[in-house]
Amino acid sequence: MGAIRSVEGGPLRRTARGAGRVLRAPFTAAARGVRRATHAHGAGESGLGKLIELHAVNSAGDMLITVALASTVFFSVPTDQARGRVALYLAVTMAPFTLLAPVIGPLLDRLPHGRRAAMAGAMLTRALLALTMSGAVATGGLELYPAALGVLVASKAYGVVRSAVVPRLLPPRISLVKANSRVTLGGLLATGVAAPLGAGLHTIGPEFPLYGAFVVFILGTVLSFSLPHKVDSAKGEARARLVSGEPSAYRSLRTPALAGKTGRRGGKGWNGWKGSKKNGNNRKNGNKKNKPPGLRTVGSSVLHALQANSALRMLSGFLTFFLAFLLRVHPLGGLSPAFSLGVVAVAAGGGNALGTAIGALLRSRGPEKTIALVLTASLGTAVVTAVFYGPFFVVVVAAVAGISQALGKQSLDSLIQRDVPEAVRTSAFARSETLLQMSWVVGGAIGILLPLNGTLGMAVAAAVLALGVATAVRGLLTAARRGSPHPRVA
């Protein structure tokens, strides 16, 4: 019997192992390729590669939940009922979220030593809520909406913490705008993989995409704690505000070393701001001269960039909801409603990925000009689409909106890196993300309320962008000609 096992069992085992290696080879090679890409240029040593992988997991889980909600709230009922359901979804989830969003950033800003735990908590919360929604997704009951609100809040909390973490994980050879581009591109690629996976799971049952999201977010919970310990360090950081009364407060904070003096008894930070325990940061006595600097103290570039990006984000929210309903009633020529939505979604997603890739390749030496260019190009495209409305221009405006949003956001990141002091830079990222999310909500609400007329919709989109051009482009170009007194971007 031993001879038989040695003759028959040995070759069979070797054959099975060989077949297993052949079957595993494509997946192993793909995993190694992804690891090489995420860990290139020092990202593996700094920990940025792990953050890219974590964000990819986060984006995949969010997409699976989006597929489950879209199938319940939007696709499963006629258009008129779908508008009512989506309006209810906005009222029950987005309205409270808009009120909560300004609070999330400051709350997380007070917990700099627990960022890994905060990211893990956001992942675990969404995992549990996905299970909660799995019981209601088939019926579309009202209990689905509070859970969806919880998912939105947890997703926003993750985004705020991620923005604060990226500067802590920068490799020496990568600028902040390129690092954010890599993180965003990783999320987009994961979204592209998760979307068809979610659609396949939905064919089994409406709750199965949520089961998949549960597994993905549990994985994200574990991966959150794999980030380096320096993520939880708050050395040299302070809080930033979007409004401030001291135009010159920033000047005294020249180096990160000065930031370490704030908060000591009798120590001074920026321009006389005393951080002693005695005055409690001087908020109670109302002394405006002793408040930490806000974004208004770093010049006009960041504020004008926020205005321009808010207009682009409103356009994104508007197109998401308006075209979703418009193409169900008036699909692209000769196509079914579902295929029309798919074409526009691919155009928008492809544009976003292309803009992200361009941002990762370009050196951001003129972020103001880049923002002004993409905002103006978006306005021109929206005007042309309103005048010559048709299937081709609908696809073009979706693609241009995706490219513009990606490049505009990366240029905004570059400006924050360049003009905001390191001591308050991570806090500034949290507040800018909150403002942009609120702008998306406003644009989405307009898209829900507007009549389903393509020319009218594109005219409204052009008006939103024209407002952004009027308030931001001149200031951006003036700031670009004047230059930054403290250039930092490579």
Side-chain angles (χ1 to χ4, degrees):
M1 294 295 292
I4 294 176
R5 280 195 298 268
S6 64
V7 173
E8 298 180 357
L12 287 175
R13 290 195 186 98
R14 286 194 296 270
T15 302
R17 285 196 296 267
R21 283 193 295 268
V22 171
L23 293 174
R24 291 195 304 268
F27 301 99
T28 304
R32 289 175 179 172
V34 170
R35 178 57 61 93
R36 282 196 300 270
T38 57
H39 286 61
H41 303 104
E45 292 79 4
S46 70
L48 180 64
K50 292 184 177 180
L51 180 62
I52 295 174
E53 295 168 356
L54 175 64
H55 185 63
V57 170
N58 171 83
S59 300
D62 278 343
M63 175 50 65
L64 291 174
I65 289 183
T66 299
V67 169
L69 289 177
S71 63
T72 300
V73 176
F74 183 72
F75 289 107
S76 62
V77 294
T79 302
D80 292 339
Q81 296 182 30
R83 294 191 76 176
R85 282 197 177 190
V86 174
L88 178 63
Y89 176 84
L90 285 177
V92 176
T93 61
M94 292 296 186
F97 174 73
T98 303
L99 298 176
L100 289 172
V103 180
I104 296 171
L107 284 177
L108 292 173
D109 205 29
R110 296 176 182 272
L111 301 172
H113 298 289
R115 288 173 179 151
R116 293 188 303 167
M119 297 175 86
M123 294 283 186
L124 182 60
T125 298
R126 281 177 288 175
L128 297 178
L129 289 174
L131 283 183
T132 301
M133 288 190 292
S134 65
V137 71
T139 61
L142 289 178
E143 63 270 21
L144 184 69
Y145 298 99
L149 172 61
V151 169
L152 284 172
V153 172
S155 181
K156 178 59 181 177
Y158 163 84
V160 169
V161 179
R162 189 211 61 174
S163 299
V165 163
V166 172
R168 288 286 175 187
L169 300 178
L170 273 183
R173 292 179 289 172
I174 299 180
S175 66
L176 185 59
V177 66
K178 290 184 179 181
N180 278 287
S181 298
R182 285 193 178 188
V183 174
T184 303
L185 187 58
L188 288 173
L189 293 175
T191 298
V193 173
L197 175 62
L201 290 174
H202 184 264
T203 59
I204 302 174
E207 69 278 7
F208 278 87
L210 294 170
Y211 294 153
F214 170 78
V215 174
V216 170
F217 283 129
I218 289 297
L219 175 61
T221 303
V222 176
L223 290 178
S224 298
F225 290 106
S226 70
L227 295 174
H229 289 280
K230 60 184 176 181
V231 165
D232 290 332
S233 172
K235 184 178 180 181
E237 294 184 3
R239 298 175 62 206
R241 294 173 293 109
L242 285 174
V243 292
S244 176
E246 317 80 46
S248 61
Y250 155 64
R251 298 173 186 169
S252 63
L253 189 59
R254 296 286 184 178
T255 63
L258 289 177
K261 296 181 181 180
T262 61
R264 294 181 183 177
R265 193 170 186 81
K268 294 184 179 181
W270 28 78
N271 202 23
W273 174 50
K274 296 181 179 181
S276 65
K277 296 180 180 179
K278 180 177 180 180
N279 56 27
N281 291 344
N282 287 307
R283 293 192 173 189
K284 294 182 180 180
N285 58 23
N287 188 350
K288 294 183 178 180
K289 294 182 179 180
N290 292 328
K291 291 181 180 179
L295 294 183
R296 292 185 184 276
T297 66
V298 298
S300 61
S301 292
V302 172
L303 288 176
H304 289 308
L306 277 170
Q307 292 169 344
N309 274 271
S310 295
L312 291 172
R313 195 60 67 91
M314 285 184 66
L315 174 66
S316 174
F318 173 80
L319 292 179
T320 297
F321 289 96
F322 180 73
L323 291 181
F325 289 111
L326 178 67
L327 296 180
R328 286 192 68 177
V329 178
H330 306 291
L332 303 179
L335 302 177
S336 66
F339 196 79
S340 299
L341 289 172
V343 169
V344 173
V346 169
N352 203 310
L354 179 60
T356 301
I358 293 173
L361 295 174
L362 292 178
R363 285 176 171 264
S364 298
R365 296 198 180 277
E368 295 98 340
K369 294 180 180 179
T370 300
I371 296 174
L373 176 62
V374 297
L375 182 60
T376 304
S378 297
L379 172 60
T381 306
V383 170
V384 171
T385 305
V387 175
F388 304 102
Y389 182 81
F392 173 77
F393 289 105
V394 170
V395 175
V396 170
V397 76
V400 171
I403 295 173
S404 299
Q405 181 178 317
L407 282 174
K409 179 59 170 64
Q410 291 165 30
S411 298
L412 172 62
D413 292 345
S414 178
L415 287 171
I416 293 176
Q417 178 197 21
R418 188 191 73 187
D419 291 348
V420 176
E422 183 178 1
V424 293
R425 190 185 301 157
T426 55
S427 180
F429 269 106
R431 280 146 181 78
S432 67
E433 286 292 333
T434 298
L435 177 62
L436 295 181
Q437 183 64 42
M438 293 172 64
S439 299
W440 187 90
V441 171
V442 172
I446 296 174
I448 288 292
L449 298 175
L450 205 65
L452 298 180
N453 181 285
T455 300
L456 174 63
M458 293 303 106
V460 171
V464 170
L465 293 171
L467 180 61
V469 168
T471 57
V473 168
R474 182 178 179 181
L476 285 169
L477 295 179
T478 301
R481 288 193 298 268
R482 187 168 58 240
S484 172
H486 306 286
R488 301 183 186 186
V489 179

